[in-house]
Every structure is written in C-alpha cells, then in structure tokens.
Amino acid sequence: MPSTGRLRAFKLLTTSNAYWKGDARNQPMQRVYGTAFLSDADLQAHLTQLEEARKRDHRKLGRELGLFTFHPWAPGAAFWLHKGTVLYNLLAGYMREVLFPAGYVEVKTPLVFNKALWERSGHWQHYRENMFIIESEARR
C-alpha cells in the first residue's frame, strides 16, 4: 500500500493495555488491533472469514466435544480424553495408510528438549517464563 489515504475500509478489532516491559510500575501503553482493506467488500469478506474460523476453533470445539483438556502445569500439551484418544488413533491410522505407501516413514521425537533448540527457534526469548524447565548438571 503506497499510502494509508487509499484505504477505504477499516475496522478496529480489539484494544488492550500493557505495561512497558511488563512492569506495573511503568507507564501503561495502549495496544490497538485493527485491519484495513481497499474496499468494504474485502473487509466484510475478511470479517466473515474470521467469524467462521472462530466457530471452528479446534481449541474450543475439542473442549466442548470432550476430546481433550489442558492443565496449567502443561499449557501447550493436550491431555487426550477417551473420545479424543479414539479420534486421534483413527486419524493416525488413516495417515499411516495414506503416507506409508507414498514412501513416508514415521518417527517419534522426545517431549523434552535441550535449551539450545528453544534458543534457536526464538521460543526461549519469548516464552521462557511459561516453559517447563528441567535443570541438570552438564555431562562431563
């Protein structure tokens, strides 16, 4: 967009307050979230798409359908309930039927990783305070 003056359709989506560097002793800042398009039709199409996505949000539907739950001790890891485990296994079986004949192989990865991986991915800098950290002595 060469100029904001060409925008014809915009909508304020949400606002929120945050403290500078997350410290309540600092001055609050106002965050403003919005979206803008060249035409009202494009804006309305985008807003419709966002609403449809909200209706199909897997995090909401999974809880409502009794497929999985989350716990504060492991916020990024789903605890699969009975119905969810059945569905998970059915989907995994289907994927194996499709992918193995195409030449794909299956691997399993650990659930605990070295800090270096999280530093490389950028997660350490942004999410460290919410990560489960295991500290151990370095190997000799």
Side-chain angles (χ1 to χ4, degrees), residues 13-26:
L13 299 175
T14 59
T15 63
S16 67
N17 287 324
Y19 292 105
W20 175 251
K21 296 187 176 183
D23 188 340
R25 294 173 295 191
N26 292 330

Side-chain angles (χ1 to χ4, degrees), residues 120-136:
R120 182 176 216 176
S121 70
H123 286 77
W124 189 258
Q125 295 86 339
H126 297 288
Y127 306 110
R128 180 175 189 261
E129 64 277 357
N130 294 318
M131 296 174 83
F132 179 73
I133 299 170
I134 300 171
E135 296 184 5
S136 64

Side-chain angles (χ1 to χ4, degrees), residues 52-71:
E52 290 300 317
R54 270 191 285 280
K55 291 177 189 175
R56 294 186 305 275
D57 185 333
H58 66 281
R59 296 164 297 189
K60 176 179 174 269
L61 290 174
R63 281 189 301 270
E64 289 174 358
L65 295 172
L67 303 178
F68 54 74
T69 189
F70 289 93
H71 191 278

